[in-house]
């Protein structure tokens, strides 16, 4: 649902309206931009597709977008291959903002960038969220980035959510064994972290997942019930949901 409306069956004008309200920032800034178009044409395209504004108004809009994401106006006449990775990702962010959406899906938006540029882009996304009251759906394998960017986190294993929690609670006290293993593997500098939780076995095929709990083939606490019955998400604490059969998770003092 989006704003209380089921979006899974939208068609026609309703789907078109939803597309204006939800946009996406892609993982690879090089492959998501048309190499045959100048940056000005790329940023103007959303307005053309949705038939918004006059040609003069569109020029003003793309200048505003450049200012908002910290991109020099001189880049508008360049092609994507003439920009750095960080500059191209700023173009991608500007394009996502063009239609003034409420929701932006961020698909690994910094994983293809150098670490120093990652920090700049993350800070930019944070500033834009505060300025424009945006909602991000942030998809990432980088737990350090997720901790910095997200307020609520869903941990997935083989396509299923196994833990859903406020960010602070998840990092302070992860409940699902898979989440515990992930958090214990995060590198730390100068801080004594948790004892690493080493998982054994290979990751099962997502096209043919195991019966019962998909994690049972690698879980050190698996029981016979885990091998036959798929666990449902249950609320272990206020706002903290876990899909696990371990009774100790739900009976903690």
């Amino acid at each position: 649902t989006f704003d209380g409306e089921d979006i899974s069956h939208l068609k026609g004008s309703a789907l078109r309206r939803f597309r204006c309200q939800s946009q996406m920032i892609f993982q690879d800034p090089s492959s998501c931009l048309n190499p045959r178009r100048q940056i000005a044409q790329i940023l103007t395209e959303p307005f053309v597709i949705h038939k918004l504004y006059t040609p003069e108004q569109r020029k003003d809009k793309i200048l505003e977008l450049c200012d908002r994401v910290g991109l020099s106006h001189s880049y508008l006449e360049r092609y994507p291959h003439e920009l750095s990775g960080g500059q191209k990702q700023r173009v991608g962010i500007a394009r996502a903002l063009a239609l003034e959406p409420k929701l932006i899906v961020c698909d690994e938006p910094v994983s293809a960038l150098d670490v120093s540029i990652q920090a700049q882009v993350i800070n930019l996304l944070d500033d834009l969220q505060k300025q424009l009251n945006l909602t991000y759906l942030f998809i990432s394998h980088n737990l350090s980035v997720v901790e910095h960017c997200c307020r609520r986190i869903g941990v997935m294993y083989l396509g299923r959510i196994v833990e859903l929690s406020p960010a602070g609670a998840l990092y302070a006290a992860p409940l699902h064994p898979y989440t515990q293993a992930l958090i214990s593997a995060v590198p730390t500098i100068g801080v004594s972290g948790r004892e690493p939780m080493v998982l054994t076995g290979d990751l099962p095929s997502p096209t043919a997942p195991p019966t019962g709990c998909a994690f049972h083939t690698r879980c050190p606490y698996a029981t016979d019930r885990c091998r036959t019955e798929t666990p449902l998400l249950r609320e272990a604490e206020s706002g903290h949901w876990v899909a696990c059969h371990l009774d100790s998770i739900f009976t903690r003092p």
Side-chain angles (χ1 to χ4, degrees), residues 17-82:
R17 285 195 301 272
F18 171 69
R19 285 174 174 168
C20 285
Q21 296 176 344
S22 61
Q23 293 292 303
M24 188 165 183
I25 301 170
F26 295 91
Q27 178 176 359
D28 185 356
S30 297
S31 62
C32 75
L33 303 177
N34 190 332
R36 296 179 178 85
R37 293 196 169 195
Q38 293 178 322
I39 302 305
Q41 295 173 304
I42 291 172
L43 294 180
T44 304
E45 188 173 22
F47 305 136
V48 175
I49 291 173
H50 292 276
K51 301 177 182 178
L52 299 173
Y53 310 121
T54 65
E56 286 302 316
Q57 288 174 327
R58 290 171 183 172
K59 292 179 182 178
D60 293 337
K61 284 289 183 180
I62 63 173
L63 293 177
E64 291 177 13
L65 289 171
C66 286
D67 293 338
R68 194 172 287 281
V69 301
L71 197 66
S72 171
H73 296 179
S74 62
Y75 294 146
L76 291 172
E77 296 181 358
R78 300 187 186 183
Y79 290 88
H81 73 271
E82 298 178 279

Side-chain angles (χ1 to χ4, degrees), residues 5 15 49 73 103 115 173 179 187 208 225 232 236 247 252:
E5 182 180 14
L15 180 58
I49 291 173
H73 296 179
L103 168 70
V115 174
T179 310
R225 183 186 181 190
L232 301 176
D247 291 333
R252 298 194 316 162

Side-chain angles (χ1 to χ4, degrees), residues 46-228:
F47 305 136
V48 175
I49 291 173
H50 292 276
K51 301 177 182 178
L52 299 173
Y53 310 121
T54 65
E56 286 302 316
Q57 288 174 327
R58 290 171 183 172
K59 292 179 182 178
D60 293 337
K61 284 289 183 180
I62 63 173
L63 293 177
E64 291 177 13
L65 289 171
C66 286
D67 293 338
R68 194 172 287 281
V69 301
L71 197 66
S72 171
H73 296 179
S74 62
Y75 294 146
L76 291 172
E77 296 181 358
R78 300 187 186 183
Y79 290 88
H81 73 271
E82 298 178 279
L83 275 59
S84 69
Q87 291 164 349
K88 282 184 280 193
Q89 193 61 300
R90 288 175 188 269
V91 173
I93 295 171
R95 181 176 58 182
L97 295 173
L99 299 177
E100 301 179 4
K102 297 179 180 179
L103 168 70
I104 296 182
V105 178
C106 303
D107 181 15
E108 296 273 14
V110 298
S111 64
L113 307 176
D114 293 338
V115 174
S116 59
I117 305 302
Q118 285 184 17
Q120 295 176 18
V121 172
I122 289 171
N123 289 336
L124 172 62
L125 291 173
D126 189 46
D127 292 341
L128 291 172
Q129 185 180 44
K130 294 172 182 175
Q131 295 167 12
L132 304 176
N133 195 29
L134 294 169
T135 296
Y136 293 146
L137 175 57
F138 202 98
I139 304 167
S140 179
H141 292 89
N142 190 325
L143 293 178
S144 298
V145 170
V146 170
E147 183 178 17
H148 179 82
C149 296
C150 302
R151 296 186 179 92
R152 193 162 179 248
I153 299 172
V155 179
M156 299 187 74
Y157 185 81
L158 288 186
R160 286 180 175 271
I161 292 181
V162 297
E163 188 162 357
L164 181 65
S165 167
L170 187 90
Y171 282 87
L175 300 181
H176 194 279
Y178 178 58
T179 310
Q180 293 171 0
L182 289 177
I183 299 296
S184 73
V186 176
T188 57
I189 299 176
V191 178
S192 178
R194 295 183 176 88
E195 188 69 24
M197 180 177 172
V198 181
L199 300 179
T200 59
D202 296 326
L203 182 70
S205 169
T207 59
T211 57
C213 175
F215 187 58
H216 84 258
T217 59
R218 307 175 71 199
C219 180
Y221 312 114
T223 64
D224 290 340
R225 183 186 181 190
C226 301
R227 297 178 180 89
T228 58

